[in-house]
Amino acid sequence: MAPIDPHSYTDSTHPFTTHIALSLYFDFSSSIIHSSALLSLSSPHTGDLSLDTRALSITSVVDAETLTPIPFSLSSEIDSIKGALLTVSLSNQARFLISFETSPNSSALQWLSPPQTFNKTSPFVYTQCQAIHARSIFPCQDTPAARIKYSAKINIPRTLSAVMSARHVERRVPTAGEAGSACDDSIWCAENRVVEEFVMEQPIPPYLFAFAVGEISHREVGPRTRVYAESVPSVLDAAATEFAGTEDMIRQGEKLFGPYDWERFDLLVLPPSFPYGGMENPRMVFLTPTVIKGDATGAQVVAHELAHSWTGNLITNKNNEHFWLNEGFTTYAERRIVEVVQGEDRAALNIGIGWKGLNDEMERFKDNMEFTKLKTQQEGVDPDDVYSQVPYEKGFQFLWRIERQIGRPAFDEFLKKYISTFKFQSIDTETFLVFLKENIPGIEKEINLELWTEGTGIPPDALAPESKLYTQIVSLAYEFRNGRMPKEDEVADWGGQEWELYLEFLPKSVEASQISALDARYQLAESKDYEVKVAFLQLAISSGCRDYYGEVEKTLKEVGRMKYLRPLYTYLVQGPGKEEEKILAKRVFAENRACYHPIAQGVVEAILSKHL
Ligand code: BES
Ligand code: ZN
């Protein structure tokens, strides 16, 4: 066995799967997908082939041409990170059909009952496959080193519709064979169902596989962009307004990084339990509704996910140990787009928030400095547990450092060449460094590349942004330590990001009375902007200001975005004493667990079990 990815059973001596044809029959009454997957390998194979699965029941494996059974075994030993190994024993075969079922607790899927949605009338289900959850939907070589094309037939109730990270082909009535024998509930039988067909003709890593099914509508926002969301006019209208500038950003991306290769760039706004801000699923980016608030941040998240169209989706990290190649490049690219469409001050504010975040992560990982490196060792590590700002912000800082060294025009040329050289490939840090040294001769004498990629902590040549607004906000935050509250005229022009930065720079523990006074003047706890609200509530918890615990509870119940759950639960339970807070955290989680995506459930469980 020759592993190529610490998070996958994929064996590098086996051929890769190049295409998967999926048939998925959605049973909302049991939260199960009855499925088949036709896998095509790059070449016929004889002997064992290793596939990743998690919580799947495998019914049969047959030869795709002759339909004769193929021996298989699903390991009874389940690795808590990798899942269960499926071994298929092939004899000179390149195409085989696996029949299987997902389980209601598939780690990639969140099944929402009607009351958990915006429109309250229909169920909804959606995927989140990054980092290693595609295997809980279908058996695959679930490593970004593999790239697959796919097709999918999605069989769903007629009242619903489906979107995917793929081209929509048609919506049609099921054929006789698709009637739904898997389901014995008469209301779900054939005449109440439709099949939606999709194809993804470009090879993508499995973590970019995505679908959502529900009562979904859309609005046009640009020549290659629609925004999709649950069929609630107010949500759709707000989303269409928020993302009106998307085409401008795509054009800017093309100027900087080369042609947009994915044809369409649609957006899907999910229910509030979506565990991330955004997910770069190709052709159909997934977004949290918390970014829709009528300021610059919605566009920033879109700029980030758009930038992944080049860095991440075209050039992909070979495995999660090189995750910075995805997120560091994308954070750099996002800020270049933001700089053009929103101006240098906005971009600097972004860099400042990131810089503070990076410095805070050094504190979080002080006992585990491995995760302050760009290139990390992840054997035996769950990538969801070590998700942090480091690959984003240290990666950004590294690329920004190179830009400063060689100048922007040369760096822009380098980036374009990097993308055109490696597109549709999965690469590692070493490959990047070799390419860098080849194309910028002598760079290793100017920048300590090894310290940046292999070293812990923040290298001395990293930089805080230089901007008047940024400096002003940081010094106001320092003055708060001496008891000076910002005056109304000083904050008159502040939007959410200015407040976020200010609050992030306040000392973690101040007098409870100071916290209440700040809120009395500026109503931060009730902010509609979750970045501001959560930054404030974090301070309230760390200062022991119990008046705000009601608001903390409400927030933990309203949203499932891990960026908010992580700090709020952590601040409640970490540190000595805190008995009341621990009880609160445990109760709120118990009451709300089922409303979080399974990935978020796992992350909160890890936080609570570490501290309780
Ligand atoms: N690809 C990530 C989200 C992700 C990372 C999901 C790792 C699962 C595992 C996405 O592009 C992202 O970075 N989202 C950010 C948006 C932000 C940086 C603008 C988020 O969700 O906060
Ligand atoms: Zn990203």
Side-chain angles (χ1 to χ4, degrees), residues 12-234:
S12 66
T13 64
H14 298 168
F16 274 128
T17 308
T18 53
H19 189 273
I20 300 191
L22 290 160
S23 289
L24 308 177
Y25 183 102
F26 286 68
D27 183 353
F28 279 90
S29 62
S30 61
S31 304
I32 285 175
I33 309 174
H34 304 275
S35 318
S36 72
L38 171 63
L39 275 70
S40 305
L41 304 177
S42 60
S43 58
H45 184 64
T46 298
D48 287 350
L49 184 91
S50 307
L51 297 171
D52 296 300
T53 74
R54 184 184 298 120
L56 297 180
S57 348
I58 311 293
T59 323
S60 69
V61 182
V62 300
D63 182 292
E65 268 70 42
T66 62
L67 302 184
T68 50
I70 292 175
F72 69 92
S73 73
L74 187 61
S75 121
S76 54
E77 202 182 300
I78 296 167
D79 183 277
S80 65
I81 298 166
K82 288 193 284 194
L85 166 66
L86 173 64
T87 308
V88 178
S89 304
L90 300 173
S91 7
N92 196 31
Q93 284 145 318
R95 279 159 43 88
F96 55 95
L97 181 74
I98 309 177
S99 299
F100 62 98
E101 273 175 16
T102 62
S103 89
N105 51 22
S106 160
S107 62
L109 298 176
Q110 186 173 24
W111 297 85
L112 296 167
S113 63
Q116 292 173 303
T117 65
F118 276 120
N119 86 357
K120 312 281 179 211
T121 53
S122 302
F124 195 97
V125 63
Y126 69 92
T127 58
Q128 169 56 46
C129 289
Q130 199 179 15
I132 48 169
H133 302 284
R135 67 193 65 178
S136 74
I137 308 177
F138 54 92
C140 58
Q141 290 156 319
D142 194 4
T143 168
R147 302 188 80 96
I148 44 174
K149 300 177 183 179
Y150 74 82
S151 63
K153 294 177 182 167
I154 304 264
N155 186 319
I156 52 176
R158 207 177 53 184
T159 51
L160 306 182
S161 55
V163 295
M164 289 198 87
S165 57
R167 183 162 61 79
H168 188 240
V169 180
E170 64 170 337
R171 179 180 167 98
R172 57 167 175 81
V173 291
T175 57
E178 297 168 328
S181 57
C183 182
D184 48 19
D185 185 336
S186 64
I187 64 158
W188 301 120
C189 74
E191 65 265 32
N192 289 324
R193 302 195 59 101
V194 290
V195 172
E196 301 242 31
E197 288 204 31
F198 296 87
V199 290
M200 174 34 99
E201 285 146 332
Q202 289 143 305
I204 57 163
Y207 75 81
L208 292 177
F209 174 87
F211 62 68
V213 176
E215 215 185 303
I216 296 170
S217 303
H218 67 263
R219 297 271 191 273
E220 302 289 338
V221 298
R224 41 191 156 173
T225 306
R226 285 172 168 178
V227 60
Y228 290 79
E230 275 186 69
S231 308
V232 177
S234 59

Side-chain angles (χ1 to χ4, degrees), residues 234-307:
S234 59
V235 175
L236 283 159
D237 291 339
T241 310
E242 183 83 27
F243 304 124
T246 304
E247 178 61 23
D248 266 359
M249 295 201 289
I250 306 176
R251 295 216 183 112
Q252 198 47 48
E254 291 192 298
K255 255 197 214 154
L256 287 166
F257 315 116
Y260 179 77
D261 265 331
W262 306 89
E263 192 183 3
R264 292 207 51 91
F265 182 72
D266 291 323
L267 306 167
L268 172 70
V269 176
L270 285 134
S273 62
F274 185 60
Y276 289 96
M279 177 65 212
E280 66 271 26
N281 300 317
R283 300 180 65 109
M284 182 66 69
V285 158
F286 283 20
L287 294 167
T288 168
T290 64
V291 298
I292 302 177
K293 53 195 182 201
D295 68 3
T297 46
Q300 281 169 21
V301 177
V302 173
H304 180 94
E305 306 314 334
L306 169 66

Side-chain angles (χ1 to χ4, degrees), residues 280 304-305 308 327 330 392:
E280 66 271 26
H304 180 94
E305 306 314 334
H308 272 303
E327 297 301 343
T330 298
Y392 292 77

